[in-house]
């Protein structure tokens, strides 16, 4: 996502949503064992997120802030798509 050439075609061909959640909560919730960006520990994960968040926000068509659950995030996305 950090290279314009990588994300521009995606943005041009679809709708990008950024699910803005607290990165510490994301890390602490677990389930990131297979995620390469989470392999160097919490501090490194938070640092990478801080570097990438402005990029995510810039490229997103819509930002969903702090969905209470996966279902709430999905419902927020569906609401935007239906509008």
């Amino acid at each position: 996502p950090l290279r314009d050439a990588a994300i521009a075609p995606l943005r041009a061909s679809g709708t990008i949503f950024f699910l803005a959640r607290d990165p510490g909560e994301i890390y602490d919730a677990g389930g990131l064992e297979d995620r390469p960006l989470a392999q160097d520990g919490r501090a490194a994960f938070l640092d990478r997120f801080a570097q990438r968040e402005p990029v995510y926000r810039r490229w997103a068509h819509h930002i969903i802030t702090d969905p209470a659950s996966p279902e709430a995030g999905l419902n927020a996305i569906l609401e935007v798509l239906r509008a």
Side-chain angles (χ1 to χ4, degrees):
L2 300 180
R3 294 186 338 246
D4 289 354
I7 194 86
L10 179 64
R11 191 170 199 281
S13 66
T15 302
I16 296 177
F17 289 87
F18 172 47
L19 300 177
R21 292 181 53 217
D22 179 272
E25 290 179 14
I26 293 169
Y27 188 87
D28 294 342
L32 301 175
E33 297 79 20
D34 296 330
R35 302 298 304 234
L37 297 179
Q39 300 307 304
D40 295 329
R42 190 177 197 275
F45 180 82
L46 296 178
D47 184 51
R48 282 190 196 100
F49 184 89
Q51 292 171 6
R52 290 170 175 234
E53 183 178 18
V55 176
Y56 296 153
R57 288 182 178 278
R58 181 179 55 145
W59 284 105
H61 291 102
H62 303 280
I63 298 171
I64 308 296
T65 304
D66 289 324
S69 66
E71 293 79 11
L74 173 61
N75 287 332
I77 290 169
L78 292 174
E79 184 176 314
V80 168
L81 293 175
R82 288 181 185 132

